mmCIF file of all heavy atoms in Angstrom:
data_model
loop_
_atom_site.group_PDB
_atom_site.id
_atom_site.type_symbol
_atom_site.label_atom_id
_atom_site.label_comp_id
_atom_site.label_asym_id
_atom_site.label_seq_id
_atom_site.Cartn_x
_atom_site.Cartn_y
_atom_site.Cartn_z
ATOM 1 N N ARG A 1 159.067 76.116 127.587
ATOM 2 C CA ARG A 1 158.254 74.987 127.148
ATOM 3 C C ARG A 1 157.598 75.296 125.822
ATOM 4 O O ARG A 1 157.308 76.461 125.516
ATOM 5 C CB ARG A 1 157.198 74.649 128.205
ATOM 6 C CG ARG A 1 156.170 75.729 128.481
ATOM 7 C CD ARG A 1 155.347 75.389 129.713
ATOM 8 N NE ARG A 1 154.599 74.149 129.528
ATOM 9 C CZ ARG A 1 154.131 73.413 130.543
ATOM 10 N NH1 ARG A 1 154.330 73.804 131.806
ATOM 11 N NH2 ARG A 1 153.456 72.299 130.288
ATOM 12 N N ASP A 2 157.368 74.240 125.047
ATOM 13 C CA ASP A 2 156.660 74.317 123.777
ATOM 14 C C ASP A 2 155.478 73.368 123.880
ATOM 15 O O ASP A 2 155.618 72.158 123.710
ATOM 16 C CB ASP A 2 157.605 73.928 122.629
ATOM 17 C CG ASP A 2 156.957 74.092 121.270
ATOM 18 O OD1 ASP A 2 155.710 74.075 121.185
ATOM 19 O OD2 ASP A 2 157.698 74.227 120.289
ATOM 20 N N ASN A 3 154.326 73.921 124.183
ATOM 21 C CA ASN A 3 153.155 73.076 124.414
ATOM 22 C C ASN A 3 152.683 72.373 123.137
ATOM 23 O O ASN A 3 152.071 71.310 123.198
ATOM 24 C CB ASN A 3 152.012 73.900 125.006
ATOM 25 C CG ASN A 3 152.285 74.306 126.451
ATOM 26 O OD1 ASN A 3 153.076 73.669 127.150
ATOM 27 N ND2 ASN A 3 151.647 75.377 126.886
ATOM 28 N N ALA A 4 152.969 72.951 121.995
ATOM 29 C CA ALA A 4 152.571 72.327 120.725
ATOM 30 C C ALA A 4 153.367 71.055 120.458
ATOM 31 O O ALA A 4 152.881 70.142 119.790
ATOM 32 C CB ALA A 4 152.744 73.309 119.581
ATOM 33 N N LYS A 5 154.589 71.012 120.994
ATOM 34 C CA LYS A 5 155.464 69.860 120.747
ATOM 35 C C LYS A 5 155.646 68.975 121.979
ATOM 36 O O LYS A 5 156.381 67.984 121.927
ATOM 37 C CB LYS A 5 156.838 70.340 120.272
ATOM 38 C CG LYS A 5 156.811 71.073 118.943
ATOM 39 C CD LYS A 5 158.211 71.493 118.524
ATOM 40 C CE LYS A 5 158.181 72.197 117.180
ATOM 41 N NZ LYS A 5 159.549 72.636 116.748
ATOM 42 N N ASN A 6 154.993 69.333 123.081
ATOM 43 C CA ASN A 6 155.148 68.578 124.341
ATOM 44 C C ASN A 6 156.610 68.503 124.780
ATOM 45 O O ASN A 6 157.096 67.439 125.187
ATOM 46 C CB ASN A 6 154.575 67.169 124.217
ATOM 47 C CG ASN A 6 153.059 67.148 124.243
ATOM 48 O OD1 ASN A 6 152.421 68.190 124.123
ATOM 49 N ND2 ASN A 6 152.490 65.970 124.398
ATOM 50 N N LEU A 7 157.283 69.633 124.692
ATOM 51 C CA LEU A 7 158.695 69.692 125.045
ATOM 52 C C LEU A 7 158.933 70.763 126.103
ATOM 53 O O LEU A 7 158.323 71.833 126.073
ATOM 54 C CB LEU A 7 159.547 70.007 123.824
ATOM 55 C CG LEU A 7 159.696 68.918 122.767
ATOM 56 C CD1 LEU A 7 160.330 69.481 121.504
ATOM 57 C CD2 LEU A 7 160.549 67.771 123.302
ATOM 58 N N VAL A 8 159.871 70.468 126.992
ATOM 59 C CA VAL A 8 160.371 71.469 127.920
ATOM 60 C C VAL A 8 161.888 71.499 127.756
ATOM 61 O O VAL A 8 162.524 70.463 127.548
ATOM 62 C CB VAL A 8 159.953 71.178 129.368
ATOM 63 C CG1 VAL A 8 160.459 69.834 129.859
ATOM 64 C CG2 VAL A 8 160.394 72.295 130.306
ATOM 65 N N TYR A 9 162.447 72.699 127.825
ATOM 66 C CA TYR A 9 163.866 72.899 127.580
ATOM 67 C C TYR A 9 164.548 73.505 128.805
ATOM 68 O O TYR A 9 163.925 74.181 129.615
ATOM 69 C CB TYR A 9 164.071 73.860 126.398
ATOM 70 C CG TYR A 9 163.427 73.431 125.114
ATOM 71 C CD1 TYR A 9 162.235 74.008 124.686
ATOM 72 C CD2 TYR A 9 164.008 72.456 124.307
ATOM 73 C CE1 TYR A 9 161.641 73.634 123.491
ATOM 74 C CE2 TYR A 9 163.418 72.081 123.108
ATOM 75 C CZ TYR A 9 162.238 72.674 122.715
ATOM 76 O OH TYR A 9 161.657 72.298 121.523
ATOM 77 N N LEU A 10 165.839 73.268 128.861
ATOM 78 C CA LEU A 10 166.666 73.968 129.835
ATOM 79 C C LEU A 10 167.898 74.452 129.091
ATOM 80 O O LEU A 10 168.770 73.649 128.738
ATOM 81 C CB LEU A 10 167.064 73.065 130.995
ATOM 82 C CG LEU A 10 167.811 73.775 132.138
ATOM 83 C CD1 LEU A 10 166.910 74.791 132.836
ATOM 84 C CD2 LEU A 10 168.362 72.762 133.147
ATOM 85 N N GLN A 11 167.939 75.746 128.822
ATOM 86 C CA GLN A 11 169.101 76.359 128.201
ATOM 87 C C GLN A 11 170.086 76.722 129.304
ATOM 88 O O GLN A 11 169.750 77.482 130.213
ATOM 89 C CB GLN A 11 168.699 77.612 127.420
ATOM 90 C CG GLN A 11 169.866 78.350 126.793
ATOM 91 C CD GLN A 11 170.546 77.556 125.690
ATOM 92 O OE1 GLN A 11 169.875 76.945 124.861
ATOM 93 N NE2 GLN A 11 171.869 77.547 125.684
ATOM 94 N N MET A 12 171.291 76.174 129.206
ATOM 95 C CA MET A 12 172.299 76.383 130.241
ATOM 96 C C MET A 12 173.497 77.102 129.632
ATOM 97 O O MET A 12 174.150 76.572 128.731
ATOM 98 C CB MET A 12 172.729 75.032 130.832
ATOM 99 C CG MET A 12 171.569 74.195 131.336
ATOM 100 S SD MET A 12 172.081 72.687 132.169
ATOM 101 C CE MET A 12 172.849 71.816 130.817
ATOM 102 N N ASN A 13 173.754 78.300 130.116
ATOM 103 C CA ASN A 13 174.880 79.108 129.652
ATOM 104 C C ASN A 13 175.881 79.314 130.778
ATOM 105 O O ASN A 13 175.561 79.109 131.957
ATOM 106 C CB ASN A 13 174.370 80.463 129.147
ATOM 107 C CG ASN A 13 173.418 80.342 127.988
ATOM 108 O OD1 ASN A 13 173.538 79.438 127.161
ATOM 109 N ND2 ASN A 13 172.464 81.243 127.916
ATOM 110 N N SER A 14 177.058 79.739 130.417
ATOM 111 C CA SER A 14 178.118 80.020 131.399
ATOM 112 C C SER A 14 178.274 78.864 132.377
ATOM 113 O O SER A 14 178.323 79.064 133.604
ATOM 114 C CB SER A 14 177.804 81.321 132.157
ATOM 115 O OG SER A 14 177.676 82.398 131.256
ATOM 116 N N LEU A 15 178.354 77.681 131.845
ATOM 117 C CA LEU A 15 178.403 76.491 132.694
ATOM 118 C C LEU A 15 179.675 76.451 133.533
ATOM 119 O O LEU A 15 180.751 76.877 133.090
ATOM 120 C CB LEU A 15 178.284 75.242 131.841
ATOM 121 C CG LEU A 15 176.848 74.939 131.387
ATOM 122 C CD1 LEU A 15 176.842 73.999 130.189
ATOM 123 C CD2 LEU A 15 176.047 74.345 132.530
ATOM 124 N N LYS A 16 179.505 75.916 134.730
ATOM 125 C CA LYS A 16 180.595 75.806 135.698
ATOM 126 C C LYS A 16 180.805 74.333 136.060
ATOM 127 O O LYS A 16 179.862 73.531 135.954
ATOM 128 C CB LYS A 16 180.246 76.583 136.967
ATOM 129 C CG LYS A 16 179.901 78.044 136.745
ATOM 130 C CD LYS A 16 179.466 78.703 138.044
ATOM 131 C CE LYS A 16 179.104 80.161 137.832
ATOM 132 N NZ LYS A 16 178.668 80.811 139.100
ATOM 133 N N PRO A 17 181.992 73.983 136.522
ATOM 134 C CA PRO A 17 182.214 72.588 136.938
ATOM 135 C C PRO A 17 181.195 72.111 137.966
ATOM 136 O O PRO A 17 180.804 70.929 137.940
ATOM 137 C CB PRO A 17 183.631 72.630 137.516
ATOM 138 C CG PRO A 17 184.308 73.733 136.761
ATOM 139 C CD PRO A 17 183.240 74.767 136.555
ATOM 140 N N GLU A 18 180.739 72.994 138.820
ATOM 141 C CA GLU A 18 179.754 72.601 139.834
ATOM 142 C C GLU A 18 178.362 72.327 139.268
ATOM 143 O O GLU A 18 177.470 71.879 139.991
ATOM 144 C CB GLU A 18 179.671 73.632 140.959
ATOM 145 C CG GLU A 18 179.463 75.058 140.501
ATOM 146 C CD GLU A 18 180.769 75.828 140.412
ATOM 147 O OE1 GLU A 18 181.773 75.281 139.901
ATOM 148 O OE2 GLU A 18 180.775 77.009 140.838
ATOM 149 N N ASP A 19 178.171 72.591 137.987
ATOM 150 C CA ASP A 19 176.915 72.231 137.329
ATOM 151 C C ASP A 19 176.920 70.768 136.876
ATOM 152 O O ASP A 19 175.883 70.265 136.405
ATOM 153 C CB ASP A 19 176.667 73.120 136.113
ATOM 154 C CG ASP A 19 176.437 74.575 136.484
ATOM 155 O OD1 ASP A 19 175.719 74.830 137.470
ATOM 156 O OD2 ASP A 19 176.988 75.451 135.781
ATOM 157 N N THR A 20 178.049 70.113 137.010
ATOM 158 C CA THR A 20 178.141 68.707 136.624
ATOM 159 C C THR A 20 177.174 67.859 137.447
ATOM 160 O O THR A 20 177.195 67.896 138.683
ATOM 161 C CB THR A 20 179.576 68.193 136.818
ATOM 162 O OG1 THR A 20 180.445 68.887 135.908
ATOM 163 C CG2 THR A 20 179.663 66.689 136.558
ATOM 164 N N ALA A 21 176.318 67.123 136.758
ATOM 165 C CA ALA A 21 175.294 66.320 137.423
ATOM 166 C C ALA A 21 174.500 65.555 136.370
ATOM 167 O O ALA A 21 174.637 65.808 135.173
ATOM 168 C CB ALA A 21 174.344 67.216 138.223
ATOM 169 N N VAL A 22 173.676 64.657 136.843
ATOM 170 C CA VAL A 22 172.641 64.074 135.998
ATOM 171 C C VAL A 22 171.406 64.964 136.136
ATOM 172 O O VAL A 22 170.981 65.263 137.256
ATOM 173 C CB VAL A 22 172.313 62.625 136.399
ATOM 174 C CG1 VAL A 22 171.206 62.069 135.520
ATOM 175 C CG2 VAL A 22 173.559 61.754 136.305
ATOM 176 N N TYR A 23 170.876 65.369 135.002
ATOM 177 C CA TYR A 23 169.725 66.262 134.978
ATOM 178 C C TYR A 23 168.471 65.466 134.637
ATOM 179 O O TYR A 23 168.455 64.690 133.677
ATOM 180 C CB TYR A 23 169.946 67.390 133.975
ATOM 181 C CG TYR A 23 170.897 68.440 134.486
ATOM 182 C CD1 TYR A 23 172.257 68.170 134.617
ATOM 183 C CD2 TYR A 23 170.442 69.695 134.873
ATOM 184 C CE1 TYR A 23 173.136 69.120 135.116
ATOM 185 C CE2 TYR A 23 171.313 70.666 135.368
ATOM 186 C CZ TYR A 23 172.655 70.364 135.487
ATOM 187 O OH TYR A 23 173.530 71.318 135.976
ATOM 188 N N TYR A 24 167.428 65.691 135.435
ATOM 189 C CA TYR A 24 166.180 64.965 135.283
ATOM 190 C C TYR A 24 165.016 65.919 135.033
ATOM 191 O O TYR A 24 164.955 67.009 135.611
ATOM 192 C CB TYR A 24 165.857 64.176 136.566
ATOM 193 C CG TYR A 24 166.861 63.128 136.944
ATOM 194 C CD1 TYR A 24 167.935 63.439 137.780
ATOM 195 C CD2 TYR A 24 166.741 61.819 136.481
ATOM 196 C CE1 TYR A 24 168.856 62.478 138.150
ATOM 197 C CE2 TYR A 24 167.662 60.846 136.853
ATOM 198 C CZ TYR A 24 168.712 61.187 137.677
ATOM 199 O OH TYR A 24 169.628 60.224 138.034
ATOM 200 N N CYS A 25 164.104 65.459 134.239
ATOM 201 C CA CYS A 25 162.852 66.147 133.988
ATOM 202 C C CYS A 25 161.788 65.506 134.878
ATOM 203 O O CYS A 25 161.805 64.286 135.082
ATOM 204 C CB CYS A 25 162.497 65.974 132.508
ATOM 205 S SG CYS A 25 160.978 66.707 131.983
ATOM 206 N N LYS A 26 160.882 66.335 135.390
ATOM 207 C CA LYS A 26 159.848 65.814 136.282
ATOM 208 C C LYS A 26 158.532 66.537 136.066
ATOM 209 O O LYS A 26 158.508 67.731 135.787
ATOM 210 C CB LYS A 26 160.269 65.998 137.748
ATOM 211 C CG LYS A 26 159.226 65.539 138.752
ATOM 212 C CD LYS A 26 159.427 66.214 140.101
ATOM 213 C CE LYS A 26 158.258 65.965 141.030
ATOM 214 N NZ LYS A 26 158.371 66.712 142.282
ATOM 215 N N THR A 27 157.454 65.773 136.206
ATOM 216 C CA THR A 27 156.139 66.373 136.294
ATOM 217 C C THR A 27 155.327 65.623 137.340
ATOM 218 O O THR A 27 155.753 64.563 137.818
ATOM 219 C CB THR A 27 155.419 66.381 134.938
ATOM 220 O OG1 THR A 27 154.261 67.221 135.014
ATOM 221 C CG2 THR A 27 154.993 64.974 134.522
ATOM 222 N N GLU A 28 154.197 66.165 137.689
ATOM 223 C CA GLU A 28 153.366 65.544 138.703
ATOM 224 C C GLU A 28 151.919 65.577 138.251
ATOM 225 O O GLU A 28 151.426 66.627 137.806
ATOM 226 C CB GLU A 28 153.519 66.268 140.048
ATOM 227 C CG GLU A 28 152.799 65.592 141.197
ATOM 228 C CD GLU A 28 153.116 66.251 142.521
ATOM 229 O OE1 GLU A 28 154.304 66.435 142.832
ATOM 230 O OE2 GLU A 28 152.160 66.590 143.255
ATOM 231 N N ARG A 29 151.259 64.445 138.366
ATOM 232 C CA ARG A 29 149.864 64.364 137.966
ATOM 233 C C ARG A 29 149.098 63.571 139.005
ATOM 234 O O ARG A 29 149.493 62.458 139.341
ATOM 235 C CB ARG A 29 149.745 63.685 136.602
ATOM 236 C CG ARG A 29 148.334 63.708 136.025
ATOM 237 C CD ARG A 29 148.273 63.036 134.675
ATOM 238 N NE ARG A 29 148.388 61.588 134.765
ATOM 239 C CZ ARG A 29 147.982 60.749 133.812
ATOM 240 N NH1 ARG A 29 147.472 61.236 132.710
ATOM 241 N NH2 ARG A 29 148.126 59.450 133.960
ATOM 242 N N PHE A 30 148.029 64.156 139.505
ATOM 243 C CA PHE A 30 147.193 63.511 140.515
ATOM 244 C C PHE A 30 148.029 63.039 141.707
ATOM 245 O O PHE A 30 147.807 61.953 142.249
ATOM 246 C CB PHE A 30 146.424 62.324 139.913
ATOM 247 C CG PHE A 30 145.594 62.670 138.732
ATOM 248 C CD1 PHE A 30 145.595 61.871 137.603
ATOM 249 C CD2 PHE A 30 144.794 63.813 138.726
ATOM 250 C CE1 PHE A 30 144.822 62.183 136.498
ATOM 251 C CE2 PHE A 30 144.026 64.146 137.624
ATOM 252 C CZ PHE A 30 144.036 63.319 136.500
ATOM 253 N N GLY A 31 149.000 63.860 142.080
ATOM 254 C CA GLY A 31 149.813 63.552 143.247
ATOM 255 C C GLY A 31 150.915 62.539 143.015
ATOM 256 O O GLY A 31 151.653 62.185 143.942
ATOM 257 N N ILE A 32 151.064 62.081 141.790
ATOM 258 C CA ILE A 32 152.105 61.110 141.467
ATOM 259 C C ILE A 32 153.194 61.811 140.665
ATOM 260 O O ILE A 32 152.902 62.496 139.678
ATOM 261 C CB ILE A 32 151.533 59.927 140.666
ATOM 262 C CG1 ILE A 32 150.477 59.202 141.490
ATOM 263 C CG2 ILE A 32 152.651 58.964 140.259
ATOM 264 C CD1 ILE A 32 149.745 58.121 140.725
ATOM 265 N N SER A 33 154.442 61.617 141.089
ATOM 266 C CA SER A 33 155.563 62.218 140.380
ATOM 267 C C SER A 33 156.072 61.277 139.297
ATOM 268 O O SER A 33 156.171 60.067 139.512
ATOM 269 C CB SER A 33 156.702 62.521 141.350
ATOM 270 O OG SER A 33 156.323 63.519 142.279
ATOM 271 N N TYR A 34 156.397 61.870 138.174
ATOM 272 C CA TYR A 34 156.951 61.121 137.048
ATOM 273 C C TYR A 34 158.301 61.728 136.690
ATOM 274 O O TYR A 34 158.426 62.957 136.580
ATOM 275 C CB TYR A 34 156.017 61.172 135.833
ATOM 276 C CG TYR A 34 154.693 60.503 136.088
ATOM 277 C CD1 TYR A 34 153.613 61.236 136.569
ATOM 278 C CD2 TYR A 34 154.521 59.142 135.849
ATOM 279 C CE1 TYR A 34 152.392 60.633 136.811
ATOM 280 C CE2 TYR A 34 153.299 58.527 136.085
ATOM 281 C CZ TYR A 34 152.251 59.274 136.571
ATOM 282 O OH TYR A 34 151.049 58.663 136.819
ATOM 283 N N TRP A 35 159.297 60.863 136.496
ATOM 284 C CA TRP A 35 160.662 61.279 136.214
ATOM 285 C C TRP A 35 161.150 60.670 134.918
ATOM 286 O O TRP A 35 160.776 59.548 134.560
ATOM 287 C CB TRP A 35 161.584 60.809 137.336
ATOM 288 C CG TRP A 35 161.297 61.396 138.676
ATOM 289 C CD1 TRP A 35 160.408 60.932 139.600
ATOM 290 C CD2 TRP A 35 161.914 62.543 139.265
ATOM 291 N NE1 TRP A 35 160.435 61.724 140.723
ATOM 292 C CE2 TRP A 35 161.367 62.726 140.540
ATOM 293 C CE3 TRP A 35 162.903 63.438 138.840
ATOM 294 C CZ2 TRP A 35 161.742 63.761 141.393
ATOM 295 C CZ3 TRP A 35 163.286 64.467 139.685
ATOM 296 C CH2 TRP A 35 162.712 64.624 140.951
ATOM 297 N N GLY A 36 162.033 61.397 134.259
ATOM 298 C CA GLY A 36 162.743 60.825 133.139
ATOM 299 C C GLY A 36 163.926 60.016 133.624
ATOM 300 O O GLY A 36 164.186 59.917 134.827
ATOM 301 N N GLN A 37 164.662 59.471 132.672
ATOM 302 C CA GLN A 37 165.798 58.615 133.022
ATOM 303 C C GLN A 37 167.056 59.422 133.322
ATOM 304 O O GLN A 37 168.011 58.888 133.875
ATOM 305 C CB GLN A 37 166.070 57.621 131.887
ATOM 306 C CG GLN A 37 166.906 58.166 130.734
ATOM 307 C CD GLN A 37 166.174 59.172 129.858
ATOM 308 O OE1 GLN A 37 164.960 59.364 129.969
ATOM 309 N NE2 GLN A 37 166.910 59.822 128.966
ATOM 310 N N GLY A 38 167.044 60.687 132.974
ATOM 311 C CA GLY A 38 168.170 61.569 133.239
ATOM 312 C C GLY A 38 169.139 61.660 132.076
ATOM 313 O O GLY A 38 169.239 60.746 131.250
ATOM 314 N N THR A 39 169.850 62.786 132.032
ATOM 315 C CA THR A 39 170.892 62.983 131.030
ATOM 316 C C THR A 39 172.105 63.599 131.733
ATOM 317 O O THR A 39 171.968 64.523 132.529
ATOM 318 C CB THR A 39 170.397 63.861 129.862
ATOM 319 O OG1 THR A 39 171.402 63.929 128.847
ATOM 320 C CG2 THR A 39 170.041 65.266 130.298
ATOM 321 N N GLN A 40 173.277 63.058 131.440
ATOM 322 C CA GLN A 40 174.499 63.477 132.128
ATOM 323 C C GLN A 40 175.041 64.764 131.525
ATOM 324 O O GLN A 40 175.200 64.876 130.298
ATOM 325 C CB GLN A 40 175.558 62.384 132.025
ATOM 326 C CG GLN A 40 176.915 62.754 132.625
ATOM 327 C CD GLN A 40 176.891 62.830 134.133
ATOM 328 O OE1 GLN A 40 176.372 61.942 134.797
ATOM 329 N NE2 GLN A 40 177.468 63.901 134.688
ATOM 330 N N VAL A 41 175.339 65.715 132.389
ATOM 331 C CA VAL A 41 176.028 66.946 131.995
ATOM 332 C C VAL A 41 177.350 66.987 132.757
ATOM 333 O O VAL A 41 177.357 66.915 133.987
ATOM 334 C CB VAL A 41 175.181 68.186 132.315
ATOM 335 C CG1 VAL A 41 175.992 69.465 132.099
ATOM 336 C CG2 VAL A 41 173.926 68.209 131.462
#
């Protein structure tokens, strides 16, 4: 994460076919979950 830029990263190496999925970012505030729209890998 880069707190100065409000960014979180996921570096994925040695990818396998079984890693194929929609990847979502999530956080939780005051008991409420917030999700992104997802990105296809």
Side-chain angles (χ1 to χ4, degrees):
R1 63 191 298 159
D2 184 337
N3 289 337
K5 296 181 179 179
N6 285 13
L7 289 169
V8 60
Y9 303 102
L10 186 65
Q11 177 67 43
M12 306 186 295
N13 299 327
S14 302
L15 282 161
K16 304 176 181 180
E18 52 264 44
D19 294 318
T20 295
V22 178
Y23 284 71
Y24 298 90
C25 179
K26 177 202 170 186
T27 192
E28 186 173 309
R29 187 180 73 159
F30 304 135
I32 299 173
S33 294
Y34 296 91
W35 297 86
Q37 83 288 350
T39 185
Q40 176 71 47
V41 171

